[in-house]
Amino acid sequence: MGYNGARNTGADARVVELVRQLDETLAGDDVEMTVMTLDEENIRGYFPSHVRLWPFTTIFFWSLLRATSQHHVAVLCEGSTLTSTFANALSVFFCEAAGIMRRQGKPCIAYGSEVGHLEGWLARLSHDLCRDTYFMARTETSLQNLQNLGLKGHVGTDTAWPLRTEAGEEWARQQLLTDGWDGKKPLLGVAVVNPFWWPVCPSLWRWMTAVLTGNRALQYDKMYFFSDSTERREKFRQYLSEMAQAVNRYQKEHEAFVVILGMEQLDEEACRLFGQLVEGPHVVYHSKNHNVFQMTGLLRQLSLLVTSRYHAAVLSMERSIPLVAISMDGRLDGVIRETELADQYLHHVDDAGLGERITTSLLLADDHREIISETIRKHQTINENKVSEMAQFFISWLKDHFS
């Protein structure tokens, strides 16, 4: 159970790799796996033919009840399992799954999950419905937040670290050459988002207004809408402008070819607006048109990455690519701090003087490329080993419930 089918590269990469790991670990056992998805076509071909796809919508209560009732084990596999950063409804989805499994006396495990600092009704709901769920948390901070909720688990990592995609990397190189790269100039990747329209919240009034006026510009889906205000729009404009300032300077000084990456189809507008600010040669790719293997392949061609997307960082690290993080939440903070790169290469979307900060980091990254790459390689190995340990723990956990 995750956030699959929405063309979110990170969410899909997590589950593609998780299914591969469990397929290998459970080989020979009589086990059937199902992946829930918001859109079957968007993940068609991601999984082996024996893995079932189970469609659901953002009005998920009935389809989730059917899914949990027809399976023996639930695996909560979204990174942002219990957080309020993006949408409380997403946490409610996982809480409902955990609660139904608990009521039916069936095991539930959260696999590589983020747990934020929750308060109020969402904290109470998480404590009540997830008390029998075991969490393999993604970070030490998540584990602390988990324990504050009175829930149990241990620290693991994100499941996407070992993802391999040789075909995606070959496609990416050829596509970049087709789209204007000369094969020699440095490739500067930029993964942009709109950090200021989260969280998504349900609103019956905004839904009725959208139906009557036909204006669906800020509608996520059905009755769910992005946050909006004059202040938020100005912050978004400033974020794009500051990032473009740094990218344009680096591009001029290094004759770089800029690759703009939309890691989720929702990033399409942010990519378009950012592209208008880039002064030199550039190309835009987003997951609306390119699958998880192609997007990962593109990340692994880069010489340097500037990212506001957590999984752009994770998926690029397999090639030890130096990066500068422009974070909107604790996930990206965490992975950069774990690699001990935070002092020089971690910034935040609303930092004062962001453009100058990014510029300084890009210049430092060029000067210390080998040191950064070696640090990332060590971190990559540690996390791949953690992923293997998580799979072994899962099998032991499973046997405890069904022996």
Side-chain angles (χ1 to χ4, degrees):
M1 295 170 179
Y3 181 61
N4 296 104
R7 280 290 182 171
N8 180 304
T9 302
D12 289 341
R14 282 176 52 89
V15 182
V16 166
E17 183 57 25
L18 175 56
V19 167
R20 185 197 66 78
Q21 294 159 18
L22 297 186
D23 240 0
E24 290 183 0
T25 311
L26 294 166
D29 293 323
D30 188 17
V31 176
E32 181 181 80
M33 281 191 280
T34 300
V35 173
M36 295 188 71
T37 176
L38 289 161
D39 189 322
E40 289 184 73
E41 287 305 313
N42 280 347
I43 62 170
R44 189 78 64 185
Y46 282 6
F47 304 103
S49 58
H50 62 269
V51 175
R52 290 199 304 167
L53 301 181
W54 188 290
F56 73 105
T57 72
T58 53
I59 309 298
F60 50 77
F61 303 101
W62 173 242
S63 56
L64 186 55
L65 175 61
R66 288 181 59 240
T68 47
S69 298
Q70 293 183 32
H71 290 79
H72 298 100
V73 181
V75 181
L76 313 183
C77 52
E78 166 60 16
S80 302
T81 304
L82 296 180
T83 73
S84 54
T85 302
F86 298 104
N88 285 341
L90 188 62
S91 294
V92 171
F93 174 78
F94 296 115
C95 285
E96 182 191 344
I100 294 170
M101 297 300 283
R102 177 174 180 269
R103 185 64 181 266
Q104 295 182 355
K106 296 185 292 193
C108 178
I109 191 167
Y111 210 108
S113 296
E114 200 81 35
V115 180
H117 175 69
L118 301 182
E119 296 178 332
W121 69 270
L122 190 54
R124 293 191 296 272
L125 187 76
S126 301
H127 169 76
D128 292 344
L129 298 185
C130 300
R131 68 179 69 175
D132 288 346
T133 298
Y134 191 87
F135 285 77
M136 285 189 277
R138 192 155 58 182
T139 63
E140 287 284 353
T141 301
S142 284
L143 181 63
Q144 282 185 343
N145 290 331
L146 183 78
Q147 292 170 341
N148 290 338
L149 291 170
L151 304 176
K152 57 184 179 293
H154 72 268
V155 177
T157 189
D158 194 278
T159 59
W161 287 101
L163 184 71
R164 301 289 185 268
T165 173
E166 289 78 7
E169 292 183 42
E170 183 178 343
W171 170 89
R173 180 173 177 81
Q174 292 304 314
Q175 191 63 47
L176 285 163
L177 292 168
T178 299
D179 290 337
W181 179 49
D182 65 1
K184 298 177 182 177
K185 290 179 180 176
L187 290 172
L188 175 62
V190 188
V192 294
V193 299
N194 184 343
F196 303 105
W197 67 358
W198 304 101
V200 165
C201 300
S203 172
L204 185 58
W205 172 252
R206 292 178 72 181
W207 176 75
M208 291 174 63
T209 302
V211 170
L212 292 172
T213 64
N215 182 0
R216 301 178 181 273
L218 290 168
Q219 185 179 32
Y220 168 76
D221 185 58
K222 297 183 175 63
M223 68 177 66
Y224 297 97
F225 290 82
F226 294 104
S227 298
D228 181 50
S229 69
T230 301
E231 181 184 7
R232 285 173 178 268
R233 290 193 294 271
E234 175 57 26
K235 284 185 175 181
F236 179 44
R237 187 203 65 76
Q238 185 70 18
Y239 156 83
L240 292 178
S241 175
E242 295 279 349
M243 287 184 69
Q245 171 190 320
V247 167
N248 287 334
R249 178 174 169 180
Y250 184 89
Q251 184 175 48
K252 288 175 184 176
E253 293 180 359
H254 295 79
E255 295 186 352
F257 188 79
V258 175
V259 183
I260 302 170
L261 299 158
M263 295 292 288
E264 182 171 358
Q265 61 183 0
L266 295 174
D267 298 338
E268 182 179 11
E269 179 68 2
C271 289
R272 184 186 69 80
L273 293 172
F274 185 76
Q276 293 175 353
L277 300 175
V278 176
E279 296 171 355
H282 65 277
V283 64
V284 179
Y285 302 105
H286 48 74
S287 62
K288 181 178 180 180
N289 300 321
H290 302 293
N291 66 33
V292 63
F293 306 110
Q294 293 169 334
M295 292 299 294
T296 302
L298 288 164
L299 286 163
R300 293 175 180 175
Q301 305 307 305
L302 301 175
S303 309
L304 190 57
L305 171 65
V306 179
T307 180
S308 288
R309 279 283 184 184
Y310 168 81
H311 275 105
V314 168
L315 294 171
S316 73
M317 286 187 177
E318 201 270 340
R319 288 289 180 266
S320 305
I321 295 163
L323 73 159
V324 179
I326 320 300
S327 177
M328 62 170 283
D329 63 36
R331 298 172 307 151
L332 197 49
D333 287 29
V335 73
I336 302 302
R337 288 192 176 117
E338 285 173 4
T339 55
E340 300 179 354
L341 298 172
D343 288 346
Q344 287 82 30
Y345 305 105
L346 174 63
H347 309 289
H348 295 89
V349 295
D350 52 1
D351 281 347
L354 181 61
E356 286 300 321
R357 291 169 181 261
I358 299 171
T359 297
T360 300
S361 292
L362 287 172
L363 297 175
L364 275 172
D366 259 349
D367 291 342
H368 300 90
R369 182 174 295 275
E370 289 303 318
I371 296 172
I372 296 169
S373 294
E374 180 59 29
T375 299
I376 290 174
R377 271 191 288 273
K378 291 177 182 177
H379 188 64
Q380 177 77 21
T381 301
I382 289 169
N383 279 287
E384 288 192 14
N385 290 337
K386 283 184 180 180
V387 169
S388 297
E389 291 168 4
M390 288 165 67
Q392 294 304 317
F393 176 86
F394 177 77
I395 296 304
S396 173
W397 175 87
L398 205 60
K399 287 180 178 178
D400 286 346
H401 284 88
F402 292 97
S403 58

